[in-house]
Amino acid sequence: MISAKEIAARVEALAREIRVAFAGTDKLVVVGLLRGSFVFIADLVREIDLPLEVDFLEVSSYGNAMESSREVRVLKDLRGEIAGRDVLVVEDIVDTGFTLTHVLAFLDAKKPARLETIALLDKPSRREVEIRATWTGFEIPDEFVVGYGIDYAQRNRNLPFIGKVRFTG
Ligand code: IMP
Ligand code: MG
C-alpha cells in the first residue's frame, strides 16, 4: 500500500513541521506508544533536529484479535516526568480513536505544558470517537495493514513497507 520510499519522504516532511512547531523548546519529550510505533518513532526522532527525550507508554488495545477494545489499560507507564514539558505522542494508527482518546486523557492528567500527537496512519472511515492527531502521515481506507512496526497477531512488524493483509477463506 505504501512503499518504504514514500514513508521515508513523508517522515522527513513531518519532522520538518514538528521542528518548526516546537522550535525553541528545550523540554520536548517524544512518547512512543508500544509496540506499533517503534519503527516510526526511531525514524522520526532522527529527523527532528531539536533537543529531546524519548519515552514509551504501553497500553493494551487489540490483543491478538482485530476488534478494538473500548477499554484501554496502561501496561507500562512512562519512566520520566512530563509535568510542565512539551509532549509529542507518536502512534502507529488511529482507527476507532479509543486508544488515542484514552492515552491523551491519561497523559493530560500528568499536566504537560503542551500535548500534541502524530499518527503515521489514519483510517477516518472507522472512527467511533471524534479525535484527530495533530499530524498524520497518510490517510488510508478501511483495510487491515501490517509492516513498518505494525503487526497482525505480532507478525510482520519487520516489513519495511506498509502492506494490506488479504484474508482468504
Ligand atoms: P483504535 O483504538 O481503534 O483507534 O485502535 C488503534 C490501534 O489499533 C492502533 O494503535 C493499532 O495498534 C491497532 N490497529 C488499528 N488498525 C490496525 C491495522 O490495520 N493493523 C494493525 N493494527 C491496527
Ligand atoms: Mg497501537
Side-chain angles (χ1 to χ4, degrees):
M1 184 183 274
I2 309 169
S3 72
K5 228 176 155 175
E6 290 172 298
I7 296 169
R10 187 69 186 119
V11 169
E12 202 185 319
L14 289 166
R16 242 180 283 125
E17 290 183 35
I18 287 163
R19 180 151 26 88
V20 171
F22 287 99
T25 185
D26 57 352
K27 294 186 302 204
L28 182 59
V29 185
V30 182
V31 172
L33 295 191
L34 294 172
R35 285 169 267 177
S37 73
F38 82 102
V39 176
F40 182 34
I41 193 174
D43 282 346
L44 188 68
V45 293
R46 282 181 290 176
E47 299 282 349
I48 301 175
D49 185 16
L50 290 174
L52 59 82
E53 292 177 20
V54 174
D55 207 339
F56 292 97
L57 182 72
E58 183 170 14
V59 297
S60 67
S61 52
Y62 271 56
N64 277 348
M66 287 171 50
E67 283 294 292
S68 181
S69 59
R70 279 138 206 271
E71 270 176 48
V72 176
R73 271 192 313 138
V74 174
L75 300 177
K76 184 213 160 292
D77 201 345
L78 302 178
R79 289 293 300 274
E81 298 292 330
I82 59 166
R85 306 194 61 174
D86 294 344
V87 173
L88 176 66
V89 178
V90 182
E91 171 63 310
D92 54 357
I93 309 182
V94 183
D95 188 38
T96 63
F98 284 111
T99 305
L100 196 57
T101 302
H102 281 86
V103 163
L104 289 179
F106 177 77
L107 293 178
D108 201 46
K110 296 175 183 281
K111 303 280 178 234
R114 189 171 166 191
L115 186 56
E116 309 285 357
T117 51
I118 182 167
L120 179 69
L121 303 176
D122 188 354
K123 298 186 199 172
S125 66
R126 293 260 308 159
R127 200 72 90 252
E128 290 181 42
V129 283
E130 209 177 306
I131 188 155
R132 267 207 65 134
T134 319
W135 293 279
T136 297
F138 303 90
E139 287 196 359
I140 61 169
D142 181 10
E143 302 272 8
F144 201 83
V145 295
V146 291
Y148 199 71
I150 299 164
D151 73 301
Y152 174 45
Q154 301 307 327
R155 303 285 298 272
N156 298 126
R157 293 189 196 274
N158 53 325
L159 292 174
F161 54 86
I162 300 284
K164 55 182 165 190
V165 177
R166 196 185 302 135
F167 295 96
T168 53

